[in-house]
Amino acid sequence: MLRLGKMDETLFAQARKEIKDFYQAEVVDLGEKALPQLAYYPPRNRYRADKLIAWLLDIRPDSVDFILALTASNISHTKGEIEDYGIMGLAYRPGRSGIVSTFRVGKGAKTQAQVRDRFSKLVLHELGHNFGMEHCANSKHCLMRDACGTVKTLDSEGKMVCASCRKRLGNLLRN
């Protein structure tokens, strides 16, 4: 995992633990880098997530299979007719890079525990995309459910995948 800009160390450590526990994957701390100017979108003071995950592929060390960047910065992506739609995370599916932002995760949160829970689910969700998982329509509690642009969806999800996604994920990880 890589920090893009300053990142809350507690959340970073939590993400590392969640990935290790959920996916039984080794997590390497790749340190911190500045957000690249090539992804900056001045009209909205945001960073384009699609450009960031492409850039991450270019800087991914050969020693790691996947690179997930964590940032507190505002990120966006094109969604339908909306050129610059603010998002919480984006990852290639399947692929080797993704990004998660804390920028929107705290919106309307009542406690810091709620923020941490949302963040964990988001990290695991984006890595699920790297592993080839699509958005799930089978269960409103599945971690791979599409957040539809709202943190309320994260609150209703469990930190688990439904039976259908569990089977698919197991098959993907064995390949």
Side-chain angles (χ1 to χ4, degrees):
M1 285 189 323
L2 174 72
R3 296 164 196 81
L4 281 183
K6 295 295 179 200
M7 180 67 207
D8 180 304
E9 286 301 318
T10 303
L11 289 177
F12 188 86
Q14 177 184 324
R16 186 176 189 169
K17 180 181 180 336
E18 294 282 355
I19 293 166
K20 287 173 90 168
D21 292 349
F22 193 86
Y23 290 114
Q24 277 82 60
E26 180 184 351
V27 181
V28 177
D29 184 343
L30 298 173
E32 180 182 325
K33 287 192 178 289
L35 283 125
Q37 283 302 303
L38 66 89
Y40 185 63
Y41 185 72
R44 303 285 302 272
N45 193 29
R46 293 178 174 172
Y47 289 85
R48 298 289 299 180
D50 50 336
K51 290 183 180 182
L52 290 170
I53 63 175
W55 174 77
L56 287 168
L57 282 179
D58 290 340
I59 67 160
R60 180 184 62 83
D62 291 338
S63 60
V64 299
D65 294 325
F66 301 91
I67 184 167
L68 180 69
L70 306 179
T71 187
S73 296
N74 192 357
I75 62 174
S76 64
H77 185 60
T78 301
K79 181 178 179 179
E81 297 292 317
I82 304 170
E83 181 183 345
D84 188 58
Y85 185 80
I87 60 173
M88 295 178 275
L90 187 70
Y92 284 120
R93 181 190 57 86
R96 293 179 175 248
S97 67
I99 185 161
V100 172
S101 170
T102 61
F103 188 82
R104 290 176 175 74
V105 174
K107 184 179 179 184
K110 293 177 177 55
T111 65
Q112 201 51 35
Q114 186 178 26
V115 171
R116 289 190 305 272
D117 186 58
R118 287 174 178 174
F119 181 70
S120 291
K121 292 173 188 177
L122 191 55
V123 165
L124 298 174
H125 175 98
E126 296 306 335
L127 277 176
H129 285 316
N130 277 170
F131 295 139
M133 298 294 294
E134 298 177 6
H135 283 143
C136 177
N138 296 324
S139 169
K140 63 181 178 180
H141 302 293
C142 183
L143 184 67
M144 289 311 298
R145 181 176 171 208
D146 187 349
C148 298
T150 176
V151 291
K152 291 178 184 176
T153 305
L154 290 173
D155 292 337
S156 68
E157 291 174 354
K159 204 180 296 178
M160 48 65 87
V161 290
C162 69
S164 174
C165 288
R166 188 176 314 114
K167 181 179 178 183
R168 176 141 169 72
L169 186 59
N171 290 338
L172 288 167
L173 293 177
R174 282 192 278 273
N175 291 334

PDB file of all heavy atoms in Angstrom, residues 146-170:
ATOM      1  N   ASP A 146     -22.569  -2.025  -5.221  1.00  0.00           N
ATOM      2  CA  ASP A 146     -22.238  -0.691  -5.719  1.00  0.00           C
ATOM      3  C   ASP A 146     -22.716   0.341  -4.705  1.00  0.00           C
ATOM      4  O   ASP A 146     -23.883   0.328  -4.304  1.00  0.00           O
ATOM      5  CB  ASP A 146     -22.918  -0.460  -7.071  1.00  0.00           C
ATOM      6  CG  ASP A 146     -22.504   0.835  -7.744  1.00  0.00           C
ATOM      7  OD1 ASP A 146     -21.847   1.682  -7.110  1.00  0.00           O
ATOM      8  OD2 ASP A 146     -22.853   0.997  -8.926  1.00  0.00           O
ATOM      9  N   ALA A 147     -21.832   1.232  -4.287  1.00  0.00           N
ATOM     10  CA  ALA A 147     -22.197   2.247  -3.289  1.00  0.00           C
ATOM     11  C   ALA A 147     -23.132   3.308  -3.862  1.00  0.00           C
ATOM     12  O   ALA A 147     -23.728   4.069  -3.110  1.00  0.00           O
ATOM     13  CB  ALA A 147     -20.950   2.915  -2.718  1.00  0.00           C
ATOM     14  N   CYS A 148     -23.245   3.367  -5.184  1.00  0.00           N
ATOM     15  CA  CYS A 148     -24.138   4.339  -5.848  1.00  0.00           C
ATOM     16  C   CYS A 148     -23.889   5.767  -5.383  1.00  0.00           C
ATOM     17  O   CYS A 148     -24.819   6.562  -5.268  1.00  0.00           O
ATOM     18  CB  CYS A 148     -25.603   3.950  -5.658  1.00  0.00           C
ATOM     19  SG  CYS A 148     -26.026   2.375  -6.381  1.00  0.00           S
ATOM     20  N   GLY A 149     -22.639   6.062  -5.085  1.00  0.00           N
ATOM     21  CA  GLY A 149     -22.270   7.428  -4.749  1.00  0.00           C
ATOM     22  C   GLY A 149     -22.661   7.901  -3.364  1.00  0.00           C
ATOM     23  O   GLY A 149     -22.669   9.095  -3.104  1.00  0.00           O
ATOM     24  N   THR A 150     -22.988   6.988  -2.458  1.00  0.00           N
ATOM     25  CA  THR A 150     -23.399   7.428  -1.130  1.00  0.00           C
ATOM     26  C   THR A 150     -22.761   6.591  -0.023  1.00  0.00           C
ATOM     27  O   THR A 150     -22.617   5.373  -0.159  1.00  0.00           O
ATOM     28  CB  THR A 150     -24.943   7.406  -0.980  1.00  0.00           C
ATOM     29  OG1 THR A 150     -25.294   7.759   0.352  1.00  0.00           O
ATOM     30  CG2 THR A 150     -25.528   6.060  -1.311  1.00  0.00           C
ATOM     31  N   VAL A 151     -22.405   7.248   1.063  1.00  0.00           N
ATOM     32  CA  VAL A 151     -21.838   6.533   2.205  1.00  0.00           C
ATOM     33  C   VAL A 151     -22.900   5.711   2.920  1.00  0.00           C
ATOM     34  O   VAL A 151     -22.574   4.761   3.639  1.00  0.00           O
ATOM     35  CB  VAL A 151     -21.150   7.493   3.204  1.00  0.00           C
ATOM     36  CG1 VAL A 151     -19.894   8.087   2.605  1.00  0.00           C
ATOM     37  CG2 VAL A 151     -22.093   8.563   3.690  1.00  0.00           C
ATOM     38  N   LYS A 152     -24.172   6.028   2.727  1.00  0.00           N
ATOM     39  CA  LYS A 152     -25.242   5.253   3.359  1.00  0.00           C
ATOM     40  C   LYS A 152     -25.189   3.790   2.929  1.00  0.00           C
ATOM     41  O   LYS A 152     -25.501   2.894   3.714  1.00  0.00           O
ATOM     42  CB  LYS A 152     -26.610   5.852   3.031  1.00  0.00           C
ATOM     43  CG  LYS A 152     -26.848   7.191   3.680  1.00  0.00           C
ATOM     44  CD  LYS A 152     -28.197   7.758   3.284  1.00  0.00           C
ATOM     45  CE  LYS A 152     -28.367   9.143   3.876  1.00  0.00           C
ATOM     46  NZ  LYS A 152     -29.612   9.769   3.456  1.00  0.00           N
ATOM     47  N   THR A 153     -24.782   3.551   1.682  1.00  0.00           N
ATOM     48  CA  THR A 153     -24.647   2.179   1.204  1.00  0.00           C
ATOM     49  C   THR A 153     -23.565   1.461   1.988  1.00  0.00           C
ATOM     50  O   THR A 153     -23.731   0.305   2.373  1.00  0.00           O
ATOM     51  CB  THR A 153     -24.332   2.153  -0.303  1.00  0.00           C
ATOM     52  OG1 THR A 153     -25.336   2.893  -0.997  1.00  0.00           O
ATOM     53  CG2 THR A 153     -24.301   0.737  -0.842  1.00  0.00           C
ATOM     54  N   LEU A 154     -22.451   2.142   2.234  1.00  0.00           N
ATOM     55  CA  LEU A 154     -21.380   1.530   3.026  1.00  0.00           C
ATOM     56  C   LEU A 154     -21.873   1.161   4.418  1.00  0.00           C
ATOM     57  O   LEU A 154     -21.506   0.120   4.961  1.00  0.00           O
ATOM     58  CB  LEU A 154     -20.190   2.484   3.150  1.00  0.00           C
ATOM     59  CG  LEU A 154     -19.361   2.737   1.900  1.00  0.00           C
ATOM     60  CD1 LEU A 154     -18.344   3.836   2.159  1.00  0.00           C
ATOM     61  CD2 LEU A 154     -18.669   1.472   1.446  1.00  0.00           C
ATOM     62  N   ASP A 155     -22.715   2.007   4.987  1.00  0.00           N
ATOM     63  CA  ASP A 155     -23.233   1.737   6.329  1.00  0.00           C
ATOM     64  C   ASP A 155     -24.121   0.503   6.365  1.00  0.00           C
ATOM     65  O   ASP A 155     -24.180  -0.194   7.380  1.00  0.00           O
ATOM     66  CB  ASP A 155     -24.010   2.949   6.855  1.00  0.00           C
ATOM     67  CG  ASP A 155     -23.113   4.146   7.118  1.00  0.00           C
ATOM     68  OD1 ASP A 155     -21.893   3.959   7.316  1.00  0.00           O
ATOM     69  OD2 ASP A 155     -23.636   5.273   7.132  1.00  0.00           O
ATOM     70  N   SER A 156     -24.813   0.217   5.277  1.00  0.00           N
ATOM     71  CA  SER A 156     -25.738  -0.929   5.267  1.00  0.00           C
ATOM     72  C   SER A 156     -25.055  -2.235   4.884  1.00  0.00           C
ATOM     73  O   SER A 156     -25.620  -3.312   5.067  1.00  0.00           O
ATOM     74  CB  SER A 156     -26.917  -0.660   4.323  1.00  0.00           C
ATOM     75  OG  SER A 156     -26.486  -0.620   2.978  1.00  0.00           O
ATOM     76  N   GLU A 157     -23.851  -2.163   4.351  1.00  0.00           N
ATOM     77  CA  GLU A 157     -23.113  -3.366   3.971  1.00  0.00           C
ATOM     78  C   GLU A 157     -22.497  -4.017   5.203  1.00  0.00           C
ATOM     79  O   GLU A 157     -22.185  -3.350   6.174  1.00  0.00           O
ATOM     80  CB  GLU A 157     -21.950  -3.018   3.030  1.00  0.00           C
ATOM     81  CG  GLU A 157     -22.339  -2.554   1.679  1.00  0.00           C
ATOM     82  CD  GLU A 157     -21.136  -2.082   0.863  1.00  0.00           C
ATOM     83  OE1 GLU A 157     -20.007  -2.015   1.397  1.00  0.00           O
ATOM     84  OE2 GLU A 157     -21.351  -1.767  -0.310  1.00  0.00           O
ATOM     85  N   GLY A 158     -22.278  -5.307   5.068  1.00  0.00           N
ATOM     86  CA  GLY A 158     -21.495  -6.001   6.067  1.00  0.00           C
ATOM     87  C   GLY A 158     -20.049  -6.027   5.622  1.00  0.00           C
ATOM     88  O   GLY A 158     -19.745  -5.688   4.481  1.00  0.00           O
ATOM     89  N   LYS A 159     -19.171  -6.444   6.490  1.00  0.00           N
ATOM     90  CA  LYS A 159     -17.775  -6.616   6.098  1.00  0.00           C
ATOM     91  C   LYS A 159     -17.593  -8.070   5.681  1.00  0.00           C
ATOM     92  O   LYS A 159     -16.806  -8.814   6.246  1.00  0.00           O
ATOM     93  CB  LYS A 159     -16.836  -6.227   7.234  1.00  0.00           C
ATOM     94  CG  LYS A 159     -15.461  -5.820   6.732  1.00  0.00           C
ATOM     95  CD  LYS A 159     -14.529  -5.425   7.842  1.00  0.00           C
ATOM     96  CE  LYS A 159     -14.993  -4.197   8.568  1.00  0.00           C
ATOM     97  NZ  LYS A 159     -14.123  -3.830   9.683  1.00  0.00           N
ATOM     98  N   MET A 160     -18.394  -8.437   4.694  1.00  0.00           N
ATOM     99  CA  MET A 160     -18.398  -9.800   4.174  1.00  0.00           C
ATOM    100  C   MET A 160     -18.924  -9.783   2.753  1.00  0.00           C
ATOM    101  O   MET A 160     -19.460  -8.778   2.302  1.00  0.00           O
ATOM    102  CB  MET A 160     -19.280 -10.704   5.046  1.00  0.00           C
ATOM    103  CG  MET A 160     -20.677 -10.132   5.381  1.00  0.00           C
ATOM    104  SD  MET A 160     -21.839  -9.887   4.041  1.00  0.00           S
ATOM    105  CE  MET A 160     -22.621 -11.446   3.928  1.00  0.00           C
ATOM    106  N   VAL A 161     -18.711 -10.875   2.048  1.00  0.00           N
ATOM    107  CA  VAL A 161     -19.290 -11.024   0.718  1.00  0.00           C
ATOM    108  C   VAL A 161     -20.376 -12.085   0.784  1.00  0.00           C
ATOM    109  O   VAL A 161     -20.319 -13.000   1.610  1.00  0.00           O
ATOM    110  CB  VAL A 161     -18.228 -11.382  -0.347  1.00  0.00           C
ATOM    111  CG1 VAL A 161     -17.303 -10.208  -0.611  1.00  0.00           C
ATOM    112  CG2 VAL A 161     -17.428 -12.598   0.042  1.00  0.00           C
ATOM    113  N   CYS A 162     -21.377 -11.957  -0.083  1.00  0.00           N
ATOM    114  CA  CYS A 162     -22.472 -12.927  -0.117  1.00  0.00           C
ATOM    115  C   CYS A 162     -21.941 -14.276  -0.616  1.00  0.00           C
ATOM    116  O   CYS A 162     -20.806 -14.376  -1.083  1.00  0.00           O
ATOM    117  CB  CYS A 162     -23.607 -12.412  -1.009  1.00  0.00           C
ATOM    118  SG  CYS A 162     -23.191 -12.355  -2.759  1.00  0.00           S
ATOM    119  N   ALA A 163     -22.762 -15.307  -0.523  1.00  0.00           N
ATOM    120  CA  ALA A 163     -22.346 -16.660  -0.911  1.00  0.00           C
ATOM    121  C   ALA A 163     -21.897 -16.718  -2.368  1.00  0.00           C
ATOM    122  O   ALA A 163     -20.891 -17.359  -2.697  1.00  0.00           O
ATOM    123  CB  ALA A 163     -23.482 -17.645  -0.652  1.00  0.00           C
ATOM    124  N   SER A 164     -22.619 -16.033  -3.237  1.00  0.00           N
ATOM    125  CA  SER A 164     -22.278 -16.028  -4.657  1.00  0.00           C
ATOM    126  C   SER A 164     -20.914 -15.377  -4.893  1.00  0.00           C
ATOM    127  O   SER A 164     -20.073 -15.901  -5.631  1.00  0.00           O
ATOM    128  CB  SER A 164     -23.369 -15.295  -5.442  1.00  0.00           C
ATOM    129  OG  SER A 164     -23.009 -15.159  -6.784  1.00  0.00           O
ATOM    130  N   CYS A 165     -20.694 -14.238  -4.276  1.00  0.00           N
ATOM    131  CA  CYS A 165     -19.414 -13.538  -4.427  1.00  0.00           C
ATOM    132  C   CYS A 165     -18.284 -14.304  -3.742  1.00  0.00           C
ATOM    133  O   CYS A 165     -17.151 -14.311  -4.230  1.00  0.00           O
ATOM    134  CB  CYS A 165     -19.512 -12.112  -3.881  1.00  0.00           C
ATOM    135  SG  CYS A 165     -20.498 -11.018  -4.932  1.00  0.00           S
ATOM    136  N   ARG A 166     -18.580 -14.937  -2.622  1.00  0.00           N
ATOM    137  CA  ARG A 166     -17.560 -15.722  -1.920  1.00  0.00           C
ATOM    138  C   ARG A 166     -17.052 -16.843  -2.815  1.00  0.00           C
ATOM    139  O   ARG A 166     -15.847 -17.078  -2.926  1.00  0.00           O
ATOM    140  CB  ARG A 166     -18.115 -16.299  -0.623  1.00  0.00           C
ATOM    141  CG  ARG A 166     -17.050 -16.964   0.240  1.00  0.00           C
ATOM    142  CD  ARG A 166     -17.577 -17.455   1.591  1.00  0.00           C
ATOM    143  NE  ARG A 166     -18.397 -16.476   2.255  1.00  0.00           N
ATOM    144  CZ  ARG A 166     -19.726 -16.632   2.485  1.00  0.00           C
ATOM    145  NH1 ARG A 166     -20.340 -17.728   2.114  1.00  0.00           N
ATOM    146  NH2 ARG A 166     -20.410 -15.685   3.094  1.00  0.00           N
ATOM    147  N   LYS A 167     -17.976 -17.493  -3.501  1.00  0.00           N
ATOM    148  CA  LYS A 167     -17.586 -18.579  -4.403  1.00  0.00           C
ATOM    149  C   LYS A 167     -16.752 -18.029  -5.555  1.00  0.00           C
ATOM    150  O   LYS A 167     -15.704 -18.573  -5.889  1.00  0.00           O
ATOM    151  CB  LYS A 167     -18.826 -19.280  -4.945  1.00  0.00           C
ATOM    152  CG  LYS A 167     -18.519 -20.433  -5.861  1.00  0.00           C
ATOM    153  CD  LYS A 167     -19.787 -21.105  -6.337  1.00  0.00           C
ATOM    154  CE  LYS A 167     -19.430 -22.223  -7.299  1.00  0.00           C
ATOM    155  NZ  LYS A 167     -20.606 -22.858  -7.854  1.00  0.00           N
ATOM    156  N   ARG A 168     -17.202 -16.953  -6.139  1.00  0.00           N
ATOM    157  CA  ARG A 168     -16.479 -16.344  -7.268  1.00  0.00           C
ATOM    158  C   ARG A 168     -15.100 -15.848  -6.814  1.00  0.00           C
ATOM    159  O   ARG A 168     -14.106 -16.057  -7.506  1.00  0.00           O
ATOM    160  CB  ARG A 168     -17.285 -15.195  -7.850  1.00  0.00           C
ATOM    161  CG  ARG A 168     -16.566 -14.452  -8.948  1.00  0.00           C
ATOM    162  CD  ARG A 168     -17.493 -14.053 -10.075  1.00  0.00           C
ATOM    163  NE  ARG A 168     -16.867 -13.140 -11.004  1.00  0.00           N
ATOM    164  CZ  ARG A 168     -15.923 -13.473 -11.875  1.00  0.00           C
ATOM    165  NH1 ARG A 168     -15.462 -14.700 -11.941  1.00  0.00           N
ATOM    166  NH2 ARG A 168     -15.411 -12.574 -12.694  1.00  0.00           N
ATOM    167  N   LEU A 169     -15.039 -15.206  -5.677  1.00  0.00           N
ATOM    168  CA  LEU A 169     -13.772 -14.698  -5.162  1.00  0.00           C
ATOM    169  C   LEU A 169     -12.811 -15.845  -4.892  1.00  0.00           C
ATOM    170  O   LEU A 169     -11.642 -15.773  -5.231  1.00  0.00           O
ATOM    171  CB  LEU A 169     -14.000 -13.885  -3.889  1.00  0.00           C
ATOM    172  CG  LEU A 169     -12.811 -13.179  -3.294  1.00  0.00           C
ATOM    173  CD1 LEU A 169     -12.195 -12.204  -4.288  1.00  0.00           C
ATOM    174  CD2 LEU A 169     -13.202 -12.453  -2.035  1.00  0.00           C
ATOM    175  N   GLY A 170     -13.329 -16.918  -4.308  1.00  0.00           N
ATOM    176  CA  GLY A 170     -12.476 -18.089  -4.056  1.00  0.00           C
ATOM    177  C   GLY A 170     -11.894 -18.638  -5.332  1.00  0.00           C
ATOM    178  O   GLY A 170     -10.706 -18.977  -5.389  1.00  0.00           O
TER     179      GLY A 170
END
